[in-house]
Amino acid sequence: MFKYSDSNKRYYTLDYFYKHKFNSKVFKISLNAGFTCPNKDGKVGIGGCIYCSNGSGDIYNTDLVTQFNKVKEIMLKKWPKAKYIGYFQANTNTYAPLDILKEKYETILKQDNVVGLSIATRPDSISDECLDYLEELSKRTYLTIELGLQTIHNKTSKFINRCHNLKCFKDMVKKLRKRNINVVVHIINGLPYETKEMMIETVKYLSKLDIQGIKIHMLSILKDTKLASIYKDEKFKLISRDEYIDIVCDQLEYLREDIVVNRITGDPKVSDLIEPDWLIKKVTIINDIDKEMKRRNTYQGVKFNT
């Protein structure tokens, strides 16, 4: 059995991490605080990343407490003693004046049974003033900063219009860890023209950094995005379901064993999805990753030092 598992999982799941840290079932509640993005408003770019629609999460149309309670009420029916982490998910959640950030974050921290915050952002969008506040915040709640990277490969990064480089990302990881703030990194498999070897190289690179978690996504081609237009014109090759499972299992083998796998596949809204259609069966993908890891008789981190 894998050292960070009490089930059939051969990798370090977020559920296992939460259960052992908080001695309770813990849910992340996704929130849209109405932030924008410097890659959309012209500060660093226009139009955002080519795969981006309105930013992750629901369209912003209700206040944060209403959003929080709507999800909480559903979870309480199954897990009446659960605890919660407020997940600021949509767009760039440190891209605002500090007084606004404080108001948003503190509002959620005041809700009953909230044990932490998870804040999704870009590595080019955390000011020194914000870092000071995040450091203070991390001393009184469980705080995670989720940094979008997607790939370490400069050519791909330019193609998808990330508008920041790898050095910027690495420097921000160092700044956050210097203040003892937890870091989770987002990557995307299946980006246009990337090979399996390139996707594995991204994980190998991250495994050697001081990060605490990773989110592995499969590229989703969504309606009304720049990526959808490119795909229509170029019909670049999408990796198949079997290829995705194979790549993820390889990545897990190279991933340092103490890095928590927060996500292992994408979860697009069916009504927005153009391709790949196999992504809609999330549970079966996860199950087949488990089966492939068992078939290989392998575990997360087994190839970390190779």
Side-chain angles (χ1 to χ4, degrees), residues 80-275:
K81 296 182 180 180
K83 296 175 182 177
Y84 305 94
I85 287 178
Y87 178 25
F88 287 84
Q89 182 181 19
N91 288 306
T92 304
N93 292 274
T94 56
Y95 186 52
L98 187 59
D99 60 333
I100 294 176
L101 297 178
K102 287 183 177 181
E103 187 273 327
K104 302 284 190 184
Y105 302 162
E106 301 292 345
T107 293
I108 296 302
L109 283 176
K110 291 175 183 176
Q111 304 308 304
D112 290 343
N113 293 319
V114 169
V115 294
L117 297 178
S118 189
I119 301 169
T121 188
R122 290 169 55 92
D124 59 0
S125 299
I126 308 178
S127 67
D128 289 341
E129 183 183 39
C130 182
L131 278 168
D132 290 339
Y133 169 61
L134 293 175
E135 182 178 18
E136 184 272 324
L137 197 60
S138 71
K139 293 175 181 177
R140 52 188 173 91
T141 194
Y142 180 72
L143 178 67
T144 299
I145 299 300
E146 298 194 11
L147 292 179
L149 173 65
Q150 321 316 352
T151 178
I152 65 167
H153 302 287
N154 186 54
K155 186 175 181 180
T156 308
S157 188
K158 286 184 177 180
F159 184 86
I160 63 176
N161 198 43
R162 278 301 295 174
C163 293
H164 69 74
N165 58 29
L166 188 58
K167 182 180 184 303
C168 171
F169 165 79
K170 187 175 181 180
D171 288 347
M172 182 51 67
V173 170
K174 289 181 178 178
K175 287 181 180 180
L176 290 165
R177 293 305 298 145
K178 185 177 180 180
R179 296 166 185 262
N180 202 34
I181 297 171
N182 300 304
V183 176
V184 171
V185 181
H186 292 224
I187 65 170
I188 298 177
N189 287 333
L191 289 168
Y193 309 110
E194 283 211 347
T195 64
K196 174 181 177 179
E197 289 71 28
M198 293 170 73
M199 298 174 217
I200 291 172
E201 284 169 6
T202 291
V203 167
K204 285 182 175 181
Y205 175 87
L206 292 175
S207 287
K208 295 177 182 177
L209 296 185
D210 183 13
I211 66 169
Q212 288 61 58
I214 192 170
K215 282 189 171 181
I216 303 173
H217 299 261
M218 169 59 196
L219 181 69
S220 300
I221 301 177
L222 304 178
K223 296 175 183 176
D224 302 320
T225 61
K226 178 66 174 177
L227 180 63
S229 298
I230 294 171
Y231 182 68
K232 182 179 179 182
D233 292 338
E234 299 185 20
K235 281 290 186 289
F236 54 84
K237 182 183 180 297
L238 293 172
I239 59 177
S240 69
R241 184 181 185 280
D242 288 345
E243 287 173 321
Y244 182 79
I245 291 167
D246 177 64
I247 289 166
V248 169
C249 290
D250 283 351
Q251 289 174 321
L252 290 174
E253 290 177 337
Y254 286 105
L255 185 68
R256 202 175 69 240
E257 66 176 15
D258 64 317
I259 295 175
V260 181
V261 181
N262 285 228
R263 178 181 282 273
I264 206 162
T265 184
D267 194 17
K269 187 183 293 185
V270 175
S271 59
D272 293 337
L273 183 65
I274 296 174
E275 291 284 1

